[in-house]
Amino acid sequence: MIRRCFVMLAALMFGLATAQGELEIFSWWAGDEGPALEALIELYEAQHPDVDVINATVTGGSGVNARAVLKTRMLGGDPPDSFQVHAGQELIGTWVAAGRMEDLTDLFAEEGFLDVFPAGLIDQISTDGGIWSIPVNIHRSNVLWYVQSNLDSWGVSVPADWNEFVSDTCPALQAQDVTPLVLGENWTHNHLWESVALAELGPDDYQGLFSGDLAFNDPKAVAVWDTFGAVLDCANDDASGLSWQQATDRVVGGEAAFNVMGDWAAGYMVTTLGLVPGEGFNWAASPGTDGVFMWLSDSFGLPLGAPNRDNALDWLRVLGSREGQDAFNTLKGSISPRLDSDLSLYNAYLQSAADDWSNDVVVGSLAHGAVAKEAFMSEFATVMEIYLGSRSADAAANAAQAIANQVGLNN
Ligand code: GAL
């Protein structure tokens, strides 16, 4: 109270305009997904001590629940001041296409963001009509996590591809009652699928699925489902009851050998579990995808009609700043897309990710909104159900193509 009066008095005496009121930020970074976001909020609060920040979160990995709540709020005329959305088609094909976002081109120009974010990433958040969000990170989807000392004691090594995994690694582990690959709740199946698809198709054909150059029911794409099925036979049968963190715990705890998960798992293992990269856990590109970086990016935008627009603009300034990005990403398990980020602040896993991001072939993630619009992605969950229920590669492949025809991929 005293501080607030003092700040207001100073503002009156010196003519300073201090931000007041509220700022509501909406995301799915709840619980142990929260520390990186909290670091950003702390930075914002230090600069704007009189603003009440409302950190509205809806739990659920990959935003499965948050997106539904956001949709209700946006369509109901009750937008938050700023919300998390994946860069790429999840942003462009949904809220931008619906004309619900503010163009942030002026903010990019004022803050010098046009010079410090890679042009390719700016493309992913732009249309002819503007630039629509501030990216806070680059995550990698196609990562295989394991603990080297556990692999040594089981006498297995990191498989080079899924064929080796299915025919050698998996039976060797099963014979010792170790789960070869741990999976979690529904969306993590989609997450695994995209890594299998990338491995089986290679980067060009994988991208062809989303540009329309390769049909989902082309024989090559049908074969992805067969490999995926063989990989699933090596997974735990209680997947639907596990969050991605609980799946990660099984690798760390030595019940399972491998997990394919985005590198938010590194954030969890370092920030929440206190493990040291390279000691408590190890990583490799998911089998058959060495040299390819499947990217996704979390970003925040400004919805039209945001109740506290000026505060939201200040929030976006913090998100794009180098200080904000380095505070956030070092905890989150992601790297900053800023070309001037201070890599010396980042741990060994993140430094290796930064190196791969600059040197690998880069393709976008399906499960995390980069390459196909939300309508396709949510229907893809039905395709997955069809496959899990029938184990028919043809049925799944035909359903995927039917959905691509019906809702479109990115138009
Ligand atoms: C992704 C998101 C990550 C992380 C993950 C697990 O979609 O981009 O930042 O939150 O879901 O919830």
Side-chain angles (χ1 to χ4, degrees), residues 193 197 201 205-225 366 371-372 376-377 380 383 393-405 408-409:
W193 186 88
L201 297 172
D205 277 343
Y206 169 80
Q207 293 183 105
L209 289 174
F210 309 106
S211 61
D213 290 339
L214 185 74
F216 279 90
N217 52 4
D218 181 283
K220 286 192 265 187
V222 176
V224 170
W225 290 99
L366 168 66
V371 290
F376 179 83
M377 195 40 227
F380 194 81
V383 174
D394 282 320
N398 287 331
Q401 187 54 42
I403 288 163
N405 294 340
L409 286 159

Side-chain angles (χ1 to χ4, degrees), residues 139-394:
H139 265 309
R140 185 176 192 175
S141 165
N142 60 321
V143 191
L144 184 76
W145 306 99
Y146 59 94
V147 177
Q148 185 59 52
S149 54
N150 289 344
L151 298 196
D152 293 344
S153 69
W154 298 320
V156 298
S157 47
V158 174
D161 54 32
W162 288 115
N163 187 30
E164 182 184 334
F165 176 77
V166 168
S167 36
D168 302 341
T169 324
C170 170
L173 289 162
Q174 281 172 332
Q176 300 173 65
D177 278 335
V178 176
T179 306
L181 183 82
V182 61
L183 259 179
E185 60 190 327
N186 300 12
W187 68 268
T188 69
H189 291 73
N190 302 339
H191 186 99
L192 174 64
W193 186 88
E194 67 183 12
S195 272
V196 174
L198 177 61
E200 299 306 286
L201 297 172
D204 290 345
D205 277 343
Y206 169 80
Q207 293 183 105
L209 289 174
F210 309 106
S211 61
D213 290 339
L214 185 74
F216 279 90
N217 52 4
D218 181 283
K220 286 192 265 187
V222 176
V224 170
W225 290 99
D226 289 324
T227 305
F228 181 66
V231 172
L232 283 188
D233 291 339
C234 297
N236 48 317
D237 48 22
D238 62 349
S240 60
L242 298 186
S243 66
W244 66 264
Q245 293 94 329
Q246 289 170 319
T248 307
D249 289 342
R250 291 213 183 156
V251 174
V252 170
E255 292 156 71
F258 298 104
N259 180 24
V260 171
M261 188 40 59
D263 49 12
W264 43 93
Y268 171 67
M269 289 187 277
V270 172
T271 306
T272 304
L273 302 184
L275 299 176
V276 176
E279 292 174 21
F281 67 93
N282 303 82
W283 63 91
S286 58
T289 69
D290 205 24
V292 188
F293 189 114
M294 190 187 285
W295 75 276
L296 62 119
S297 167
D298 295 297
S299 74
F300 282 78
L302 175 63
L304 281 170
N308 301 286
R309 182 177 178 278
D310 288 346
N311 292 345
L313 283 167
D314 285 338
W315 164 247
L316 296 175
R317 287 187 178 97
V318 172
L319 297 192
S321 68
R322 176 169 136 153
E323 195 189 3
Q325 300 242 326
D326 288 338
F328 175 83
N329 284 295
T330 44
L331 297 171
K332 184 67 175 68
S334 44
I335 51 174
S336 166
R338 277 188 67 123
L339 302 166
D340 60 351
S341 89
D342 182 355
L343 276 182
S344 70
L345 302 172
Y346 288 69
N347 67 38
Y349 167 72
L350 293 170
Q351 291 189 3
S352 86
D355 199 42
D356 291 346
W357 168 245
S358 349
N359 294 308
D360 283 4
V361 173
V362 170
V363 302
S365 159
L366 168 66
H368 304 279
V371 290
K373 66 184 180 192
E374 173 67 15
F376 179 83
M377 195 40 227
S378 52
E379 292 296 330
F380 194 81
T382 311
V383 174
M384 187 55 73
E385 276 169 31
I386 292 172
Y387 182 73
L388 296 178
S390 68
R391 287 296 184 117
S392 161
D394 282 320

Side-chain angles (χ1 to χ4, degrees), residues 4 20-24 44-45 48-54 311:
R4 181 169 294 215
Q20 307 278 332
E22 293 183 339
L23 168 71
E24 189 195 7
Y44 175 89
E45 286 177 333
H48 306 287
D50 291 330
V51 176
D52 287 330
V53 178
I54 302 164
N311 292 345

